[in-house]
Amino acid sequence: MDTSKIRDAYVAIHGHFYQPPRENPWLEEIETEESAYPFHDWNERITFECYRPNAYARILDEKNRILDIINNYSFISFNFGPTLLSWIEEKNPVLYQKIIEADREGHRCFGHGNAISQVYHHIIMPLANERDRETEVIWGIADFERHFRRKPEGIWLPETAVNYPTIKLLIKYGLRFIILSPFQALRMRPFGGKRWIDVSNGRIDPTQPYRYFLKDSSGKKVIDQYIDIFFYDGAISKEVAFGDLLRDGNLLCDRFLKAYQTTSKRPQLIHIATDGETYGHHKKFGEMALAFALRKGFSMRGLKIINLGAFLNKFPPVYEVDIDEGPKGEGSSWSCSHGVGRWKEDCGCSTGGQPGWNQRWREPLREALNSLRDELGSLFEIEGERIFKDVWEARNGYIDLIHDRSSGNVERFFDRYGVAGIGERERIRGLKLLEMQRHTLQMFTSCGWFFADPSGLETRIILLNAARAIELAEELTGRSIEEKFLLDLSKVKSNISEMGDGSNIYLRFVKPRCLKLENVINHFAISSLFEDGEKSKRIFSFFVENIRYEKIVDDGKMLLLGHVRVGSKTIQEKKEFLFGLIPSKKDIFRTWVREFRDEDIFRRLRERGLGGFESDEQGMVEILNDILGSHSFTIRDVLNEGKGEIFKKIIKKEMDEYYRINAEIYERTKETVELIVKEGLEVPQEIRFAAELTLSNRLLNEIKDLEKNQRDVIDRGEVERIIDEAKRNGYRLRMEDSSKILSDILTQRMTVLWKSRDSSLAEKERDIEELINLLDKIEKWGFLISREISQDFMYDILAHSLIGLEECLWREGKITPFPPNLISLAEKLGFNIDKYYKIVSCL
C-alpha cells in the first residue's frame, strides 16, 4: 500500500494484564507453585517473562546489542487486574512505578491516560447478583484511583462478559467506555436514523466507536444515559494471540496497515485487544516486536499511535449500537460463542483435556457457590445489622480497609459505617464479617470454570476462598455450614476417576491448606529453635509477640516453653497461647498448643515440665498431654513456605559433617589425582565426586564472600585457582548457585548505582569501576548470569545522565556532570553505545 495516501489512521493496542489471586487466604501470601519452577510462583514467573520486559522492551541491532529500551506501557492502552497490581506494588516497586509513569506519559502525549480500570475480582458480571456486581465495580474504580490518582474513563469487563444490567451499572458509576469483541455487536444505525443494520457475527466495522443508550420502561432510549463501546479488530487480535505476527515487528505493522480502509472518509482506529501476557509470556520476545512497532514501525507506515480515551475525545461516535446479550439476556463474552455458558454449563467451549472429557461439572459448581453466597449474605445481614448502619454500604466501602489496614484507618472506617457506640468486640466481629464477604466475592473468579477439570489449580483456588469464608461464618455463628457445601460439591464430577467429585477435591487439596492459629504457633516454636529469640516475629500475615520464652537443655534433652500473643494484619484480634515443645525420635519435634486462660497453667506447665525433665519422651508426652491437651503438632504441620528452610537448618550439622568428610578425602588424594591425570588415567568416580563437591562448595563460599569483600576475593585469586584446578583434572563444577548469587550481586550493585544518581561524581566513578571489574571477572571465570534487570537499571541511569543531555544542549541548559566510565559500563552490559558517544562528543 502507498503509505503517502494514508490519512487519519490511528492505532491502539490494548493489553489485559491479569492473574487470578493466588494468595493463601490465611497467609495472604502466594505459596510455592511447583509448576512455575524455577520461579517461586506464576506471578513471579510471568513478571519476569512479561510484565517487566514490557516496561523495559529491547530494540536490538544486528549483533544483539541494545539500541534502545522503551516502556511499552507508555504507548498502549492497558488494564491490570487490581489484585495483580497490588502484588506488583509490594513485590516489584520499580516495575510498579514504570506502570504508573506510563499512564502519566500517556496523559502527556495524548491528553488521556493509558490505563483503564477493571472489575475487581475478574468475575463474570452477568452471572453475578446485583449486589456483587455493584461491589465489584465500586472496588475496581476505587483501586484504580488509588494507583493512578485519577478517575477511570474506561473499564475492562472480565472476558468482556456483558449484558444490559451490567452496562446500566457502569453508566451509573460514570464509566465512559468499554471494549468488546466484534461478535458481541448485534445491530447499529447512524444517530437520528430509524433503520437498524444487522452487524451480528462479527460484521461490525471496528475502526470507530459506537454509543449504547439505556432505555426507559417503554423501550425508548434515554439520550443522556449511555456508554461508548470499542469493538476490537477480531481478526488481527486473534492472529496476534494465536498466530505468528509477534515473530517480527514489521510483520505486525504490515498487518495493521492491511486493515486500513482506503475508501473510508472518516478517521479510522485500527485497534486490538489481547491478554497482555501474550507479549513475552505466551509469545517469547513478543514485547520486542511490539516495542519496534510502537517505536518506529507504525509511524513509518503513516499510522499514528493513540489510546482509546484520546480517540474518543477526538472522534466521538456517530452511530448507536445494540449488543448481543446472549441466551435469555444472560450475557455475551469474547471467549464463549454460547454467551456466558463457559462459566455455568457444559456449553462445548473448553481448553481441551482428554478425549471423552466433559464440563458438566460447571453447573453444580456454580450452583454450590451461589447457594453458599446466598447463605453467607443472609448471615452478613443478620449479624451485621448490629454493627453497621448499612451492611452493604459497609461492604462497598471495605475496599478502603483492604488498601490500608492501619489502626487509624480502621477507626475512620467504623466512624463512617459503624453503629454509634460499638465496642472493640463488635468491631472485630465486623471485620470478620467483611473478610467473609471479601472471600465470598473472590470465590467467583472466572478462572475457576475456564479450564478442563475441577481438580485444576484455578478451581482449587476459588474453593480455598470458599473454605476461608465458611470458616469465618462458622466461627461467628457456631453453625455448621461446610457440611451442606460438601454435599453440594459432591455433584461436581471430575473427569479424572481418582479425583472423584468436588467434595473429595475439597477435602484432599483445599482443607490441608486451611490454617488455625495453632499451626502458626507451631511454626513459630519450631523455627525459634534456629533463631535468636526475637521479641516479635511476622509470619506471613500473622504477628507473633513473645511474652515468655524458656528453653531448658540438659544432657541431650530439651524442653521449650512459651507464652505468645498472636494477631493478623486483616483482623485486629489478638489471642494468647501457651506452647510446649520437645524433641521426638519419630517426628523430630512435637508441639502442644493451648489457648492461654490464666497464669496458673503456665506455672503448672513449667513446674511439671521441669519435674519430669529426667523422664523419657513418653513421660514428657504424658505431662504435656495432661496440661495442654492431647493434640500435638509436628514438623509436618509447619507452614509449607517455611518448611524447606527449617529442614535445612535441622540437617545443617549433618551436612557440614558430610562436606568435611569429602573435603578430607579430596585433600588426601589431591596429589595422587594430579599424577593420575598426568598419566592420562581416569580418576576414580568416588574420588572425582569428593573433589567436585568440595571444589564446588569452596567456589560457592568464595562467591558469597564477593558480595561483602569484592576486592579481597579478587586479590586472593582463589576463584581462578579452583576453576583452573577443575579444568586441569576434568572436574565438573556445580556453578548454578554461584551464578545466581553473581546475578543477584550485579543487580544489587546496579540498584545502588541507580539510587545514587545524584551522588557525587567521584562516588559514582568508583562504583562504576567496581562494576566493570566485576563484569570482567565474571566473564573471565566463565559464569553465565542473568543481566536483564541490571540492563534495565543501566538504561534508566543512561536516560538520567546522558539522554537528557540532548535537550540540555539544544536549550543551552546547565549540564550535570556524568562519570566518563559510564559508557564503558553500558558497553559491558550489552548496549550499542554509538549514540551515547555522539551525545558526549557534542559537549
Side-chain angles (χ1 to χ4, degrees), residues 63-76:
K63 295 181 180 178
N64 284 329
R65 296 175 302 179
I66 298 170
L67 280 170
D68 205 353
I69 292 180
I70 73 166
N71 185 348
N72 283 346
Y73 302 115
S74 296
F75 301 95
I76 67 172

Side-chain angles (χ1 to χ4, degrees), residues 291-309:
F292 171 82
L294 295 170
R295 191 63 164 177
K296 60 182 180 179
F298 288 135
S299 61
M300 287 167 55
R301 292 160 175 82
L303 304 173
K304 304 170 189 174
I305 296 169
I306 199 168
N307 64 35
L308 300 178

Side-chain angles (χ1 to χ4, degrees), residues 13 159 205 351 395 404 459 586 595 599 621:
I13 292 173
E159 305 291 340
D205 177 7
T351 53
R395 186 180 80 164
D404 176 7
T459 307
K586 178 182 176 183
E595 192 165 349
E599 293 287 341
V621 167

Side-chain angles (χ1 to χ4, degrees), residues 759-782:
S759 61
S760 72
L761 186 62
E763 287 177 313
K764 285 190 281 191
E765 281 190 276
R766 182 200 63 215
D767 291 343
I768 291 168
E769 196 58 40
E770 284 192 0
L771 275 161
I772 291 172
N773 289 339
L774 176 62
L775 286 164
D776 284 340
K777 285 297 181 181
I778 290 171
E779 185 179 354
K780 180 181 177 182
W781 294 333

Side-chain angles (χ1 to χ4, degrees), residues 18 20-21 121-129 132 136 158-159 161 333 335-336 338-353 357-373 439-466 485 488-489 491-493 495 502:
Y18 169 72
H121 281 118
H122 210 272
I123 70 170
I124 301 302
M125 289 287 278
L127 295 178
N129 65 23
D132 287 1
E136 287 288 337
E159 305 291 340
S333 65
S335 53
C336 178
H338 313 92
V340 290
R342 189 166 199 154
W343 300 275
K344 71 182 186 72
E345 61 196 10
D346 188 5
C347 66
C349 294
S350 73
T351 53
W357 282 22
N358 66 72
Q359 279 70 50
R360 288 193 287 271
W361 55 270
R362 289 173 180 161
E363 183 175 357
L365 176 62
R366 184 160 289 276
E367 288 175 351
L369 291 174
N370 281 347
S371 177
L372 178 60
R373 174 202 63 200
H439 292 293
T440 301
L441 288 166
Q442 199 153 291
M443 70 190 188
F444 287 101
T445 301
S446 68
C447 308
W449 286 266
F450 192 84
F451 296 96
D453 194 76
S455 62
L457 175 63
E458 291 76 13
T459 307
R460 290 187 221 167
I461 288 173
I462 65 172
L463 290 177
L464 195 62
N465 281 281
F485 185 59
D488 290 341
L489 286 180
K491 301 170 187 174
V492 177
K493 305 299 182 183
N495 292 290

Side-chain angles (χ1 to χ4, degrees), residues 180-457:
L180 298 181
S181 159
F183 289 89
Q184 292 174 271
L186 188 63
R187 58 182 186 170
M188 51 84 73
R189 65 183 176 188
F191 287 171
K194 294 184 179 180
R195 188 174 66 86
W196 288 98
I197 302 168
D198 184 354
V199 291
S200 59
N201 296 316
R203 289 177 292 167
I204 195 165
D205 177 7
T207 64
Q208 57 184 298
Y210 297 81
R211 185 155 291 173
Y212 181 92
F213 292 95
L214 293 186
K215 299 173 180 65
D216 61 21
S217 57
S218 67
K220 184 179 179 181
K221 70 182 179 185
V222 182
I223 297 299
D224 61 347
Q225 294 288 299
Y226 62 83
I227 196 165
D228 294 332
I229 302 176
F230 289 93
F231 296 96
Y232 60 81
D233 189 304
I236 304 178
S237 298
K238 186 175 181 179
E239 289 172 46
V240 167
F242 303 108
D244 292 326
L245 288 186
L246 294 181
R247 183 169 45 83
D248 181 273
N250 281 307
L251 199 64
L252 178 66
C253 296
D254 288 341
R255 183 63 182 87
F256 272 79
L257 185 62
K258 185 180 177 182
Y260 179 74
Q261 301 169 14
T262 55
T263 57
S264 176
K265 296 180 180 179
R266 178 177 166 81
Q268 298 174 52
L269 177 68
I270 306 164
H271 67 109
I272 63 171
T274 65
D275 288 342
E277 291 76 18
T278 302
Y279 305 101
H281 172 58
H282 298 310
K283 301 287 184 179
K284 193 172 184 180
F285 305 126
E287 82 285 352
M288 295 172 64
L290 179 61
F292 171 82
L294 295 170
R295 191 63 164 177
K296 60 182 180 179
F298 288 135
S299 61
M300 287 167 55
R301 292 160 175 82
L303 304 173
K304 304 170 189 174
I305 296 169
I306 199 168
N307 64 35
L308 300 178
F311 189 88
L312 193 60
N313 189 61
K314 280 176 173 285
F315 310 109
V318 294
Y319 288 90
E320 63 177 298
V321 70
D322 261 357
I323 61 169
D324 180 2
E325 294 191 68
K328 300 178 184 178
E330 288 184 329
S332 60
S333 65
W334 76 342
S335 53
C336 178
S337 58
H338 313 92
V340 290
R342 189 166 199 154
W343 300 275
K344 71 182 186 72
E345 61 196 10
D346 188 5
C347 66
C349 294
S350 73
T351 53
Q354 300 301 314
W357 282 22
N358 66 72
Q359 279 70 50
R360 288 193 287 271
W361 55 270
R362 289 173 180 161
E363 183 175 357
L365 176 62
R366 184 160 289 276
E367 288 175 351
L369 291 174
N370 281 347
S371 177
L372 178 60
R373 174 202 63 200
D374 293 343
E375 184 175 3
L376 298 184
S378 176
L379 186 156
F380 181 58
E381 287 184 324
I382 294 168
E383 297 292 327
E385 66 180 5
R386 298 189 295 270
I387 300 169
F388 302 111
K389 299 169 191 172
D390 183 308
V391 294
W392 299 109
E393 280 190 16
R395 186 180 80 164
N396 288 341
Y398 187 50
I399 187 66
D400 293 336
L401 283 190
I402 293 172
H403 290 156
D404 176 7
R405 296 189 182 274
S406 65
S407 57
N409 201 40
V410 172
E411 186 83 22
R412 288 187 291 273
F413 177 85
F414 279 98
D415 285 346
R416 180 175 179 182
Y417 297 105
V419 172
I422 60 172
E424 183 67 17
R425 184 178 176 183
E426 286 78 15
R427 290 187 178 196
I428 288 171
R429 285 184 68 82
L431 290 173
K432 288 181 178 179
L433 285 166
L434 290 165
E435 274 296 284
M436 178 189 75
Q437 281 297 300
R438 178 168 75 96
H439 292 293
T440 301
L441 288 166
Q442 199 153 291
M443 70 190 188
F444 287 101
T445 301
S446 68
C447 308
W449 286 266
F450 192 84
F451 296 96
D453 194 76
S455 62
L457 175 63

